Amino acid sequence: MARYMFLAPQARDLYADWPETARENVGMLHLYASHHPHDRRLAQLAGELSAGDRDFRRWWSEHDVYQPKYGSKHDHHPLAGDLTLGFEALTPIGDPDQTLGLYTVEPGSPSESALRMLAGWTASNTRRDRTQADGAPAEASAHRPQPPPGKGAGHGK
């Protein structure tokens, strides 16, 4: 994630709040470093990111630590537009190096509609890709279904 955040130019467009999200990412790396101070792979990653991005280099030198708990993220998806996702981060008691991130949207929100559109678009493309792999003409499977109406499973808060 850190490589994408700091080395992929499209990340700055995807994350509407890129500076905040990127800084949190650096803080999570510092949290990991506090538990694993001699991790060679982390040292290599920090060196790579420091050489590749001045923001990372500046924030890494500040030594801020961040442990995610809950909040919201604002993204700008190239197809779906602006998305607001709530999140909760859960760390198992027996394994503090693992974190499970749960992302949710408000039922009936524009973000829910955008995610449903993406789900329908992805399902349609997956079916088309499978059909094309089987040798069927692309035109026969190019139909893009509308997202299902109403509320379904997977809604948050």
Side-chain angles (χ1 to χ4, degrees):
M1 182 66 184
R3 277 190 184 91
Y4 176 77
M5 181 70 62
F6 290 99
L7 302 180
Q10 63 271 29
R12 291 177 191 250
D13 294 329
L14 175 64
Y15 295 98
D17 54 356
W18 184 88
E20 179 182 341
T21 302
R23 239 186 134 123
E24 289 170 356
N25 200 284
V26 174
M28 287 186 279
L29 289 175
H30 272 295
L31 178 65
Y32 176 84
S34 72
H35 296 120
H36 306 280
H38 305 293
D39 187 317
R40 288 185 198 153
R41 292 184 334 163
L42 176 61
Q44 291 170 341
L45 175 64
E48 176 186 349
L49 297 176
S50 292
D53 187 270
R54 67 176 181 204
D55 290 320
F56 179 87
R57 186 170 44 253
R58 183 177 74 242
W59 295 329
W60 185 251
S61 70
E62 293 173 2
H63 300 282
D64 289 339
V65 174
Y66 174 72
Q67 183 169 12
K69 294 184 174 125
Y70 61 89
S72 62
K73 297 289 180 190
H74 307 281
D75 299 337
H76 182 78
H77 190 277
L79 296 174
D82 293 334
L83 301 170
T84 299
L85 304 172
F87 78 88
E88 294 199 34
L90 308 169
T91 302
I93 292 172
D95 192 354
D97 286 340
Q98 300 293 319
T99 300
L100 172 65
L102 303 173
Y103 289 88
T104 60
V105 293
E106 288 294 327
S109 69
S111 294
E112 178 193 23
S113 297
L115 289 177
R116 286 185 176 281
M117 182 276 300
L118 282 175
W121 185 83
T122 301
S124 174
N125 284 339
T126 300
R127 282 192 296 274
R128 187 182 74 218
D129 292 345
R130 285 187 192 138
T131 304
Q132 287 175 343
D134 293 339
E139 303 80 40
S141 57
H143 173 70
R144 299 215 194 299
Q146 293 296 315
K151 299 175 183 175
H155 299 287
K157 303 181 188 174

